[in-house]
């Protein structure tokens, strides 16, 4: 049986076991979770997280060095960033629209009086942007600061391209380092079904059916918006911009999505999503290793969708009407929040504080949705990484066309 099928079976088995334990034997869950589910999940998470920093570093260095021409790097960078900003704006608009129509905040009685949430100060976006250049690259790596690692790797890659033959030895070393990491990804993925089972059983066992039911309308809005975004925006990108079949895209990218779903972390899923993009979607290494790490760090469409729905939901629960101007502010802030959101579990909810604050909505409102956020985090992370892959495919295909056209014109 192939890996995707095994991971999906593990997902379903984990959900069923978690739900049954939660409903019938919560006592058994409290014993099984710390000794079985949680360790299985943690081992898997640690194994893949272990590979993230070296993979991002090696692959971006090689990507930048492989593109060679700084002009080409600039063109790909520009395309990628414009794509990220446009699709994230579309994502949050879909979230706002669906929540405005369905009105999840009017659906039940929510205890706004007792909602509690105190936000940790989210870093201002200007700081995120300024901090892209690392003062100390070694510290950036030890802290896992993705944007800084990407920036440093880009510099090294550019230098390798400029120095050519002279630094061939180091180039080969990085290439071999990258091969070793990719080999390890393969190895670690053999453990994926067990890790997935543990992660899902642990999450669902804790949340249970009641929590899911009571927030049904809000959850359905987020899920519907995620689905619509996947079909329209990514399907559209694949079909119209990359001229490929969306079904082919989602079918081949599914293993990465299932792992994103179980880990709730774009960063942790990165080694696998790159491998899948390169081997199954045939995206050249040079494009995939630039677009995907960047996307896992700054492109969070699924998170933006949740923030759009949550903003409307909280406004409705507190009976606050948002003006058109405020909605535009929400879109802009959520796009910036998406850039600042790290690809690790739960950060999207913390960044929501910034979005709510931008239009004066009560931040405590987050307390209303925090209970079920774990499950939505899983789904939106799968969407987050699909956006990066769709962008990589679009960039790869348009670059390929450009090269062919150039060759034809030259011939
Ligand atoms: N968990 C998400 C990710 O890693 C970020 C978030 O929305 O919390 O992509």
């Amino acid at each position: 049986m192939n890996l995707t099928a095994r991971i999906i079976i593990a997902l379903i088995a984990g959900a069923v076991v978690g739900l049954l334990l939660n409903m019938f034997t919560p006592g058994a869950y409290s014993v099984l979770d710390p000794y079985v589910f949680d360790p299985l999940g943690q081992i898997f998470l640690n194994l893949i997280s272990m590979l993230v920093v070296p993979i991002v570093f090696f692959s971006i260095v090689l990507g930048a060095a492989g593109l060679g021409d700084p002009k080409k790097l600039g063109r790909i960078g520009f395309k990628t960033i414009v794509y990220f900003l446009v699709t994230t704006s579309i994502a949050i608009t879909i979230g706002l629209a669906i929540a405005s129509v369905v009105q999840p905040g009017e659906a039940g009685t929510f205890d706004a009086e007792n909602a509690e949430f105190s936000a940790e100060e989210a870093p201002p976006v200007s700081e995120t942007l300024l901090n892209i250049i690392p003062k100390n690259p070694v510290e950036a790596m030890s802290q896992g600061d993705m944007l800084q690692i990407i920036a440093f790797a880009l510099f090294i890659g550019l230098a390798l391209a400029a120095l050519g033959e002279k630094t061939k030895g180091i180039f080969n070393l990085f290439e071999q380092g990258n091969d070793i990491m990719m080999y390890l990804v393969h190895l670690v993925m053999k453990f994926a079904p067990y890790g997935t089972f543990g992660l899902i059983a642990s999450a669902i066992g804790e949340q249970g059916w009641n929590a899911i039911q009571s927030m049904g309308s809000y959850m359905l809005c987020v899920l519907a918006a995620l689905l619509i975004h996947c079909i329209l925006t990514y399907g559209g990108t694949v079909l119209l911009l990359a001229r490929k079949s969306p079904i082919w895209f989602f079918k081949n990218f599914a293993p990465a999505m299932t792992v994103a779903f179980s880990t709730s972390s774009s960063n942790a899923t990165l080694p696998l999503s790159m491998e899948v993009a390169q081997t199954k979607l045939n995206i050249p290494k040079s494009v995939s290793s630039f677009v995907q790490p960047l996307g896992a760090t700054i492109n969070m469409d699924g998170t933006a969708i949740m923030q759009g729905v949550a903003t409307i939901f909280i406004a409705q629960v507190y009976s606050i009407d948002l003006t058109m101007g405020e909605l535009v502010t929400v879109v802009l802030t959520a796009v910036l929040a998406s850039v600042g959101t790290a690809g690790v579990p739960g950060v999207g909810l913390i960044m929501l504080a910034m979005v709510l604050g931008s239009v004066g909505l009560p931040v405590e409102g987050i307390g209303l949705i925090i209970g079920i956020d774990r499950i939505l985090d899983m789904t939106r992370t799968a969407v987050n990484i699909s956006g990066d892959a769709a962008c990589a495919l679009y960039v790869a295909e348009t670059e390929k066309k450009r090269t062919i056209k150039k060759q034809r014109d030259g011939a």
Side-chain angles (χ1 to χ4, degrees):
M1 206 192 309
N2 72 15
L3 186 62
T4 319
R6 286 170 47 210
I7 297 179
I8 291 177
I9 290 175
L11 265 179
I12 296 170
V16 171
V17 169
L19 208 53
L20 289 178
L21 286 176
N22 181 284
M23 290 194 317
F24 301 115
T25 51
Y29 171 80
S30 55
V31 176
L32 283 173
D33 188 45
Y35 292 107
V36 182
F37 304 149
D38 194 46
L40 277 178
Q42 278 306 323
I43 291 172
F44 179 54
L45 268 183
N46 289 356
L47 281 171
I48 42 179
S49 304
M50 162 181 96
L51 303 174
V52 170
V53 170
I55 284 195
V56 169
F57 181 69
F58 287 137
S59 63
I60 294 216
V61 167
L62 293 173
L67 290 175
D69 179 7
K71 248 201 236 146
K72 187 166 178 195
L73 188 61
R75 192 176 59 240
I76 292 186
F78 181 75
K79 258 192 226 173
T80 304
I81 289 175
V82 170
Y83 181 91
F84 285 166
L85 294 179
V86 170
T87 49
T88 306
S89 313
I90 296 176
I92 175 141
T93 310
I94 293 176
L96 288 172
I98 293 214
S100 303
V101 173
V102 179
Q103 308 207 326
E106 313 287 349
T109 41
F110 296 101
D111 189 4
E113 298 280 305
N114 291 324
E116 259 179 61
F117 181 82
S118 53
E120 257 180 65
E121 209 37 50
V125 180
S126 57
E127 197 179 300
T128 312
L129 294 179
L130 277 181
N131 276 343
I132 289 178
I133 300 171
K135 269 189 272 187
N136 180 345
V138 179
E139 185 183 293
M141 288 189 197
S142 75
Q143 302 288 325
D145 188 324
M146 287 305 151
L147 270 185
Q148 295 196 341
I149 298 172
I150 291 173
F152 182 62
L154 277 175
F155 280 118
I156 302 279
L158 282 174
L160 282 180
L163 294 170
E165 269 310 301
K166 212 167 160 188
T167 48
K168 193 83 192 128
I170 299 266
F171 182 86
N172 289 342
L173 188 78
F174 283 156
E175 211 157 44
Q176 289 167 3
N178 199 41
D179 289 344
I180 294 176
M181 290 304 141
M182 284 303 177
Y183 174 81
L184 289 180
V185 172
H186 264 294
L187 211 60
V188 168
M189 284 316 291
K190 297 206 191 306
F191 188 69
Y194 308 100
T196 307
F197 173 81
L199 287 167
I200 300 294
S202 176
I204 304 273
E206 197 187 311
Q207 304 254 291
W209 188 239
N210 285 346
I212 299 175
Q213 247 177 347
S214 70
M215 297 294 292
S217 183
Y218 164 76
M219 280 187 85
L220 283 181
C221 281
V222 177
L223 295 177
L226 290 172
L227 189 68
I228 291 175
H229 189 65
C230 272
I231 295 174
L232 288 187
T233 314
Y234 302 154
T237 303
V238 173
L239 189 68
L240 303 175
L241 299 178
R243 309 247 169 227
K244 297 267 182 193
S245 147
I247 294 174
W248 163 86
F249 172 80
F250 283 112
K251 211 170 136 202
N252 281 296
F253 196 61
M257 290 174 80
T258 50
V259 170
F261 185 82
S262 55
T263 61
S264 296
S265 167
S266 304
N267 280 358
T269 316
L270 186 59
L272 178 74
S273 58
M274 282 169 63
E275 208 242 6
V276 171
Q278 289 167 20
T279 54
K280 298 263 176 68
L281 301 177
N282 304 323
I283 297 172
K285 248 193 198 163
S286 58
V287 173
S288 141
S289 50
F290 173 73
V291 174
Q292 287 178 288
L294 191 65
T297 314
I298 67 168
N299 183 41
M300 310 271 167
D301 293 356
T303 304
I305 285 174
M306 175 279 286
Q307 291 174 341
V309 176
T311 305
I312 299 283
F313 173 75
I314 290 170
Q316 282 165 358
V317 172
Y318 285 91
S319 310
I320 299 171
D321 277 329
L322 295 174
T323 63
M324 203 57 203
E326 284 171 328
L327 290 179
V328 174
T329 310
V330 169
V331 173
L332 293 178
T333 330
V335 171
L336 292 177
S338 156
V339 175
T341 304
V344 288
V347 190
L349 205 62
I350 294 176
M351 295 306 270
L352 175 61
M354 174 176 146
V355 179
L356 295 176
S358 73
V359 286
L361 286 172
V363 171
E364 305 82 72
I366 295 178
L368 294 169
I369 52 175
I370 204 164
I372 41 121
D373 193 63
R374 181 73 175 81
I375 292 165
L376 293 177
D377 196 5
M378 304 194 292
T379 341
R380 68 177 179 254
T381 306
V383 174
N384 285 346
I385 65 154
S386 305
D388 309 333
C391 177
L393 187 68
Y394 147 67
V395 171
E397 290 301 318
T398 48
E399 284 298 311
K400 199 160 90 189
K401 253 186 227 127
R402 201 187 146 95
T403 317
I404 295 173
K405 186 167 178 289
K406 257 194 163 164
Q407 278 166 353
R408 213 186 296 131
D409 290 348

